[in-house]
Amino acid sequence: MKRVKEYAFAVNLMQHLVVPAFVLDPQCKVLIWNIACERLTGISGAEVIGTSDHWRGFYDTPRPCLADLVAQDRAADIHDLYAQHEKVEANNRRLYAENWCVMPQLGTRRYLAIDAGPIFDDAGALVAVVETLRDMTTQREAQNALEHLATRDGLTGIANRRTFDETLHTEWNRAARGRKPMSVLMVDVDHFKSYNDSFGHPQGDECLKRIAAVMAKSVLRSGELVARYGGEEFAVILPDVEARMAEQLGQRIRGSVEQLQIPGAHPDGPVVTVSIGAASTSVFAGATPAQLLAAADVALYQAKHLGRNCVVAIDRDSVAEAS
């Protein structure tokens, strides 16, 4: 009788915890789905108790929750299922993870901190797994906002110089490991000092923002990055792109900027344009990130020398002559 009362008290306590929680048996069927979990997921306990459908509260398609991994002793799978995770107690199968969940019943997306731990009987046999959840969406969104500010250029909203430098080294290392090409473009706004002198810095800022926006739209493949390199100069990282394709992408950017039809510094003169230098590891095999950037700078200088509003893809002979 005492054990029955203790069990009833434990269930009642779990039901009224302010922290969302549910309990699975060793076969991953729901034993308890507390009131706070109902509020978090929009699913009542009656819908899931006795079933293995608890995933429906968090995901669109069936997949293990953290409690399932504990119940099935599958801690190693946490690496594939959760972006941020750790094994809290290696000797006791406790797991901790953080994860974005789509919350399909409510039509919302929440960032949850999740703890899952086993309950064993006196003989050491698993009798249940408890999973508790904390909604950390507000904190995560604030953190994301701060990280975004740290990686974005304050004027144009595209990547800043720091992000460019970090991404360049990351992509260069990846390309070297996979023996794949990588290209960079250096992009400079033609006659921008004259433009600023004629229209003022606020108009100059607006010009840079429009050019940054059209450049970002011109670079569409995953992994490619457009950054403000400094002043009126932009830079583009193109993973898995060899020299000829880099030149073609440069031409697309050049044409897109020209099509903006931003009036130039002189009423009867040309519209605002850009000059572009391109360099690729498919031409400069073994080049370091700094050498690749230096080669693109040489190409940009040549584009300026050729009359601007053009793209130059550099080769080794040109760099040697410039040196």
Side-chain angles (χ1 to χ4, degrees):
M1 180 63 71
K2 183 180 177 182
R3 282 188 173 274
V4 172
K5 288 182 178 179
E6 288 175 347
Y7 177 77
F9 174 78
V11 170
N12 189 51
L13 179 66
M14 182 69 70
Q15 283 287 3
H16 291 88
L17 277 178
V18 294
V19 177
F22 62 88
V23 180
L24 302 183
D25 69 13
Q27 287 71 49
C28 298
K29 295 190 182 299
V30 180
L31 295 172
I32 299 172
W33 187 267
N34 76 357
I35 295 170
C37 199
E38 291 182 336
R39 285 196 292 265
L40 176 68
T41 63
I43 294 179
S44 69
E47 295 179 68
V48 291
I49 289 176
T51 78
S52 296
D53 292 340
H54 45 287
W55 60 267
R56 290 176 45 235
F58 312 100
Y59 307 106
D60 282 325
T61 55
R63 56 157 278 175
C65 293
L66 205 62
D68 296 291
L69 299 186
V70 173
Q72 297 167 2
D73 201 13
R74 294 169 51 196
D77 291 346
I78 195 172
H79 303 284
D80 300 321
L81 294 168
Y82 295 91
Q84 298 188 48
H85 57 267
E86 61 181 280
K87 197 170 183 179
V88 179
E89 295 180 22
N91 63 339
N92 203 25
R93 289 166 60 174
R94 294 187 64 85
L95 298 176
Y96 172 84
E98 296 178 11
N99 196 41
W100 280 104
C101 297
V102 297
M103 317 303 287
Q105 303 303 308
L106 298 178
T108 60
R109 187 168 176 261
R110 314 304 293 174
Y111 189 79
L112 302 179
I114 310 163
D115 286 278
I119 299 174
F120 300 104
D121 63 17
D122 294 339
L126 180 71
V127 294
V129 179
V130 180
E131 178 166 316
T132 60
L133 309 117
R134 286 176 292 135
D135 187 350
M136 298 181 64
T137 308
T138 301
Q139 297 93 316
R140 185 63 185 184
E141 288 176 342
Q143 181 181 341
N144 288 347
L146 288 173
E147 291 173 355
H148 181 81
L149 287 173
T151 60
R152 299 289 105 181
D153 173 59
L155 175 65
T156 63
I158 62 175
N160 59 19
R161 173 67 180 273
R162 174 185 171 185
T163 303
F164 174 84
D165 290 341
E166 292 174 351
T167 305
L168 178 65
H169 281 81
T170 298
E171 291 299 332
W172 183 87
N173 286 326
R174 190 182 66 83
R177 286 195 303 270
R179 297 184 179 180
K180 294 183 179 181
M182 185 187 79
S183 299
V184 295
L185 305 177
M186 298 298 292
V187 183
D188 190 76
V189 182
D190 297 327
H191 301 297
F192 189 70
K193 184 179 184 303
S194 297
Y195 185 93
N196 258 345
D197 291 343
S198 298
F199 297 110
H201 289 287
Q203 191 69 21
D205 288 349
E206 188 62 30
C207 175
L208 292 177
K209 286 193 282 187
R210 292 182 66 186
I211 290 173
V214 81
M215 285 183 62
K217 290 179 181 177
S218 298
V219 176
L220 301 175
R221 297 194 326 155
S222 174
E224 296 176 344
L225 179 79
V226 176
R228 187 179 180 196
Y229 197 71
E232 70 272 21
E233 196 168 24
F234 300 88
V236 185
I237 298 173
L238 301 170
D240 301 332
V241 170
E242 45 78 33
R244 192 172 73 169
M245 185 180 294
E247 184 177 3
Q248 293 172 351
L249 289 168
Q251 289 290 2
R252 187 166 72 196
I253 290 172
R254 184 204 61 77
S256 296
V257 172
E258 190 172 30
Q259 288 172 15
L260 287 173
Q261 293 291 295
I262 301 173
H266 304 288
D268 298 327
V271 296
V272 172
T273 58
V274 294
S275 298
I276 301 177
S280 176
T281 57
S282 63
V283 174
F284 296 92
T288 66
Q291 290 169 336
L292 198 61
L293 276 182
D297 257 333
V298 171
L300 177 59
Y301 174 82
Q302 291 185 356
K304 294 284 189 182
H305 185 71
L306 290 172
R308 297 178 170 83
N309 192 24
C310 64
V311 179
V312 170
I314 197 74
D315 56 38
R316 281 191 177 275
D317 292 339
S318 299
V319 172
E321 290 172 9
S323 302

